[in-house]
Amino acid sequence: MLFVLSLATPARAVESEAREAPTFNGTVQAIAYLGSTVYVGGSFTKAEWGGRSYPRNRLAAFDGRTGALLSWAPDADGPVRALAVTPGAIYVAGGFHRVGGEKRDSIARLSLTDNTVSAFRPTIEGTPYALAIGHDRLYLGGSFTAVNGRKAHNLVAFSLRTGKVDHGWRATADDRVHTLAIAGHRVYLGGAFEKVDAATGHPRLAAVHATTGRLDRRFRPTAPAEVNALAVDGSGVYTAGGGQGGRAAAYAVDGGTRWQRVFDGDATAITVVGGTAYVGGHFDRVCLTARNGTQGSCLDGSVPRVKLAAVTGDGRLTEWNPQANGVIGVRVLNTGPTGALDAGGDFTMIGGLLRPRFARF
């Protein structure tokens, strides 16, 4: 594990004039992209844009080039925790029972251009947390025991073509799966589990085959605490997690640890741009070593980083320090094709600017 006390060359901070984007009156928990359109999900009921307030019940979309709020507004009656987009549809998952005026149990397939809900209608016994799309499948992770009345252990895959459960994909986890990411023929899983496919030795972070669901035993990382978020690039896998304080880490494709940074609060979001990992969470400081004490307090010194930080590919903390307010802080980070870094959560101020629950860098 690598700890470097010196700071890296500063990463680009929040622009002096922040990019225009809508803001929200409640938590933002999910961000997804298709072309220049940005889709947002959460617990909000209104979006603010251009000095006006618009009804948006847990789902909204805006133009990533101009920031203009779009008319897409399929109301959900409960929180949206995950989004995944294909060229033909957007999948949403969360704690709702109706969306777009139709009964849907925690997961739905919606039109990208209007509020139409498709016939895709699985039943989930439990709570979904994560969605990912690849290999002609929609992957779902969460804390659930059955899908369509058939036993499922926190993981399931659906055919994008038929909408039916892919019973040939047989991955299982013995506890909740918070996050999913796809790279090549691997589906990476992060969460609170101890066993995948009933096998020990892969707690909290594992990889399974994208078409069979079989555990990839070559990927053997050491994740010391519950994994809340994942990101992947050509160098490997990046995690944001909890524990005593919180941790962000980078792993090679075989699971070997490349670097780790320790915070004084949970890391709950992560994304990667050009090899630099951007981390969000509940923290206020980054520890200079791995040693921390009660409530995550850093024992060997620290650097202020309030709810947001950036770490280079060799584990060095950068000077990027926009600062977000609030207790919970940042819940989700993502990057899209327009080049923006988007942050969502419970904050109301970020980078010294009023940006309730959503900001663009």
Side-chain angles (χ1 to χ4, degrees), residues 243-246 262-266 285-287 291-299 302:
Q244 183 169 295
V262 175
F263 304 84
D264 67 349
D266 284 358
R285 309 187 73 83
V286 184
C287 302
R291 294 195 334 123
N292 60 2
T294 58
Q295 299 182 333
S297 58
C298 301
L299 299 180
S302 63

Side-chain angles (χ1 to χ4, degrees), residues 147-159:
V147 176
N148 294 341
R150 186 166 175 169
K151 284 186 179 179
H153 300 281
N154 305 308
L155 289 162
V156 71
F158 302 93
S159 165

